[in-house]
Amino acid sequence: MRPSMLRSIHSAVSRSRSHLARRGYATEPVPERKVAILGAAGGIGQPLSLLMKLNPLVSTLSLYDIAGTPGVAADVSHINSRSEVAGYAGEEELGKALEGADVVIIPAGVPRKPGMTRDDLFNINAGIVKSLATAIAKYCPHALVNMISNPVNSTVPIAAEVFKKAGTYDEKRLFGVTTLDVVRAKTFYAGKAKVPVADVNVPVIGGHAGVTILPLFSQATPSANLNADVIEALTKRTQDGGTEVVTAKAGKGSATLSMAYAGAIFADACLKGLNGVPDVVECSYVQSNIISELPFFASKVRIGKNGVEEILGLGSLSDFEQEGLEKLKSELKSSIEKGIKFASQ
Ligand SMILES: NC(=O)c1ccc[n+]([C@@H]2O[C@H](COP(=O)([O-])OP(=O)(O)OC[C@H]3O[C@@H](n4cnc5c(N)ncnc54)[C@H](O)[C@@H]3O)[C@@H](O)[C@H]2O)c1
Ligand SMILES: O=C(O)C[C@H](O)C(=O)O
């Protein structure tokens, strides 16, 4: 075949690929991926189910809750996208919901009301997370687990202990979802720096509660010469972002829509990592040796085919951030210990 003919076939194929891509069809083989959402009928669960239904990397979307999921599943299943949707309700259906899952997202549990801390949710949510983690160990021990249920600083160590006891623990596969802190830091920074939010990046390290949330505005891009007072106010607003929403909702729960957005970004990163997309980096609360006395810590992590591929260093911190890092250690340490103690009872 003449080279010119080969070239014209090649360009016809590319034209038809981009035509298919514009119409939303996959042009490269996309692996089958099952995503399970536990707590799918809740305030986060419903919009998160919608966003995951829109994700072309998902082939099976499994929606589980103690009640209400058949309705959510029927509703979401009519949307014109790749995945097959199934709803499962009640503990007896949990195994089916989880079997074969590649990614399990957990927004199950009670949210805060005004005046409460995330730790006030421990008594109820710790038990829920323990039982869901037990089922994950049994039905899909190799799944990447995205923990949203609060208090994340404790629920991740709880899940780790449950997996250890079951003999299935792989620290690379367990993630506390802290993406909402990054989402907030980006929005608040873009507002002050007067730059388009789509161009902004801000790492957020530590944990996911109050002072344990430590945004690193000194590393924010694009850089802006914000003065110390502005940085301090941005830091405080990011740390109190959840409380800002809880107060505004006045007893009707905590962040759901922005959390669904954040959860969908993080789950998409996990799917891309599993599919071998290079350089997938997100902040997440994982088993870490970055701060030696804290076994779990949020920082930038590279996600790959086996989960956490690399925990990236903290980079250089400003004096203000270094102080924040020292301040957060004791609270984070006691939240981790509380989770471990609960799970080992
Ligand atoms: N990580 C974060 O950044 C972040 C952000 C927002 C909210 N949260 C947390 O997410 C959790 C859920 O918040 P929400 O607003 O969706 O609450 P919600 O009450 O609206 O929904 C929770 C859902 O969990 C379900 N559920 C309860 N027990 C369950 C079990 N054993 N198995 C499966 N499902 C169960 C409930 O039926 C309900 O549908 C809360 O703990 C909240 O604090 C975390
Ligand atoms: O603030 C909460 O209780 C929910 C969540 O952790 C958040 O950051 O919005």
Side-chain angles (χ1 to χ4, degrees), residues 96-325:
K96 271 191 281 169
L98 288 173
E99 255 164 18
D102 297 288
V103 175
V104 179
I105 316 175
I106 313 184
V110 290
R112 282 200 282 166
K113 289 193 186 311
M116 292 170 84
T117 66
R118 291 176 183 81
D119 187 57
D120 293 333
L121 306 172
F122 187 97
N123 287 346
I124 299 179
N125 290 353
I128 293 174
V129 164
K130 192 175 176 184
S131 72
L132 294 175
T134 304
I136 290 169
K138 183 165 176 200
Y139 295 105
C140 55
H142 303 299
L144 301 192
V145 176
N146 295 184
M147 184 67 71
I148 292 175
S149 312
N150 269 318
V152 168
N153 291 354
S154 304
T155 52
V156 169
I158 291 173
E161 287 306 303
V162 170
F163 296 155
K164 277 182 204 164
K165 265 197 194 159
T168 65
Y169 184 48
D170 177 353
E171 73 276 9
K172 293 186 172 63
R173 294 176 183 271
L174 176 60
F175 301 85
V177 181
T178 57
T179 319
L180 183 53
D181 302 317
V182 176
V183 164
R184 286 175 177 145
K186 285 184 181 184
T187 297
F188 303 157
Y189 178 84
K192 289 290 177 199
K194 304 209 182 330
V195 290
V197 71
D199 298 341
V200 170
N201 233 319
V202 185
V204 182
I205 64 165
H208 178 70
V211 297
T212 71
I213 300 167
L214 185 59
L216 302 181
F217 287 112
S218 70
Q219 296 176 19
T221 53
S223 67
N225 264 336
L226 301 178
N227 69 37
D229 290 350
V230 174
I231 296 289
E232 203 172 311
L234 281 175
T235 302
K236 177 110 181 64
R237 189 165 179 212
T238 306
Q239 292 174 331
D240 294 344
T243 308
E244 185 179 316
V245 179
V246 170
T247 307
K249 290 199 174 179
K252 296 228 158 58
S254 56
T256 53
L257 305 174
S258 51
M259 181 59 237
Y261 168 75
I265 289 178
F266 192 74
D268 181 64
C270 288
L271 290 165
K272 285 188 173 130
L274 286 177
N275 290 355
V277 174
D279 278 329
V280 178
V281 173
E282 289 291 336
C283 290
S284 180
Y285 179 68
V286 296
Q287 181 175 316
S288 177
N289 52 10
I290 272 198
I291 304 293
S292 59
E293 68 269 37
L294 298 170
F296 293 91
F297 199 80
S299 66
K300 284 202 263 184
V301 300
R302 191 184 311 283
I303 305 170
K305 288 187 172 172
N306 299 305
V308 177
E309 227 158 51
E310 187 187 356
I311 295 179
L312 301 174
L314 299 184
S316 66
L317 307 191
S318 66
D319 290 348
F320 175 67
E321 290 160 359
Q322 192 60 50
E323 238 172 70
L325 177 59

Side-chain angles (χ1 to χ4, degrees), residues 26-44:
T27 54
E28 303 290 341
V30 180
E32 303 278 295
R33 294 291 177 202
K34 174 170 171 175
V35 173
I37 302 181
L38 312 183
I44 296 166

